Amino acid sequence: CAAHAANTVAVPAPLEPWKQWVLDAHKELACPPHYASLGERYCRWPGKLELQATERGASFAQDWQLYNESWITLPGDADSWPQDVRVDDKSVAVIERQGVAVIHLAAGEHSVQGLIRWSNLPTRLALPADTGLLEFMLQGKLVQQPSIDEQGGLLFGENSSTAMEAVADSLSVQVFRALQDDIPLQMETVVRFRVAGRDRELLLGQLLLDGFVPLALDTPLPARIEPDGRLRVQLRAGEWE
């Protein structure tokens, strides 16, 4: 794991007594590199968000893998506030930060569940910005392709009439590379996805060529580059780059 890797980094003998002190002061070093910005780390990985909605409310469940303690955003907003939230079957406090509902989790793997109550089915429900995989049940029926707006909100009105439509799984992947003859040599890689059907997480082939290291990763979906250079991404229906 990343935490183990951070603790096993080789350091010169005179600095060995300081290693644990540095790691304690910079816990983000236990996280995989984020790549979206040099020097940042990606300290959490979301699991599938399971959401079941009816006329009276909704329930949600999601697993999280955290490499460091972190704040996690929950589904909902001021009009549809998450309640009765439990982490690993223990009640936790929900806090408002910058207009969204969040909870604080320690490093490790956690299971989060909660409820949202309303008197009438809303037209929209805010989802966390880092939502990737979504399994949405509306009135007991699985919605094959949930409608999500540009702000990341789940649209109930558009989903209500398409809950039973099944769409066959399909995936088209195109890879383009542009070599920048500079010092050092740089390679820009563009991966285009055309996705239909269910949401899924895929571990694709080697994104990085031999001898290259990642500098940046720009993606609208949860994605990360594994230590062996392969690309892991959470895909949902649509066209993505």
Side-chain angles (χ1 to χ4, degrees):
C1 68
H4 175 73
N7 279 284
T8 56
V9 171
V11 297
L15 299 179
E16 182 66 31
W18 294 90
K19 185 171 74 171
Q20 192 58 48
W21 178 81
V22 171
L23 292 175
D24 288 341
H26 300 277
K27 292 183 170 55
E28 71 279 0
L29 294 177
C31 309
H34 191 288
Y35 305 125
S37 178
L38 289 178
E40 293 187 6
R41 298 273 170 162
Y42 200 92
C43 292
R44 58 188 184 181
W45 185 251
K48 178 187 294 183
L49 174 59
E50 299 177 357
L51 183 66
Q52 301 186 37
T54 68
E55 291 287 348
R56 294 303 178 186
S59 63
F60 61 87
Q62 188 173 25
D63 293 335
W64 283 89
Q65 181 183 14
L66 303 181
Y67 296 91
N68 194 3
E69 60 182 88
S70 179
W71 292 94
I72 298 301
T73 304
L74 302 176
D77 50 31
D79 297 324
S80 303
W81 194 256
Q83 305 174 37
D84 301 331
V85 176
R86 303 180 68 83
V87 175
D88 304 328
D89 208 28
K90 297 181 180 179
S91 297
V92 297
V94 179
I95 300 173
E96 185 273 332
R97 296 185 70 190
Q98 300 180 345
V100 298
V102 299
I103 57 175
H104 189 264
L105 298 181
E109 297 183 357
H110 301 284
S111 178
V112 179
Q113 298 93 27
L115 301 175
I116 300 174
R117 297 183 176 91
W118 49 63
S119 55
N120 295 291
L121 192 69
T123 58
R124 181 183 185 276
L125 180 67
L127 299 179
D130 49 7
T131 297
L133 305 180
L134 173 64
E135 181 178 293
F136 179 40
M137 300 283 292
L138 180 60
Q139 308 286 20
K141 299 176 182 178
L142 178 64
V143 178
Q144 297 291 341
Q145 291 190 1
S147 297
I148 300 176
D149 62 22
E150 294 182 355
Q151 291 73 41
L154 180 63
L155 304 178
F156 285 85
E158 295 187 21
N159 287 313
S160 61
S161 60
T162 60
M164 291 301 292
E165 295 179 4
V167 179
D169 290 346
S170 67
L171 173 64
S172 172
V173 182
Q174 293 178 297
V175 180
F176 305 88
R177 298 187 190 270
L179 182 63
Q180 301 177 19
D181 190 5
D182 203 346
I183 300 176
L185 200 68
Q186 293 191 27
M187 177 75 73
E188 180 180 1
T189 302
V190 176
V191 184
R192 292 177 181 169
F193 298 97
R194 182 171 295 173
V195 186
R198 60 188 174 87
D199 295 357
R200 60 266 204 195
E201 179 176 306
L202 293 180
L203 180 61
L204 302 175
Q206 186 174 359
L207 182 69
L208 297 178
L209 300 182
D210 292 340
F212 284 80
V213 295
L215 296 179
L217 179 64
D218 183 13
T219 168
L221 298 172
R224 70 186 185 195
I225 300 175
E226 300 292 347
D228 60 4
R230 291 186 294 173
L231 176 66
R232 183 180 298 276
V233 59
Q234 295 183 359
L235 294 171
R236 59 174 181 265
E239 296 185 6
W240 312 96
E241 182 176 296

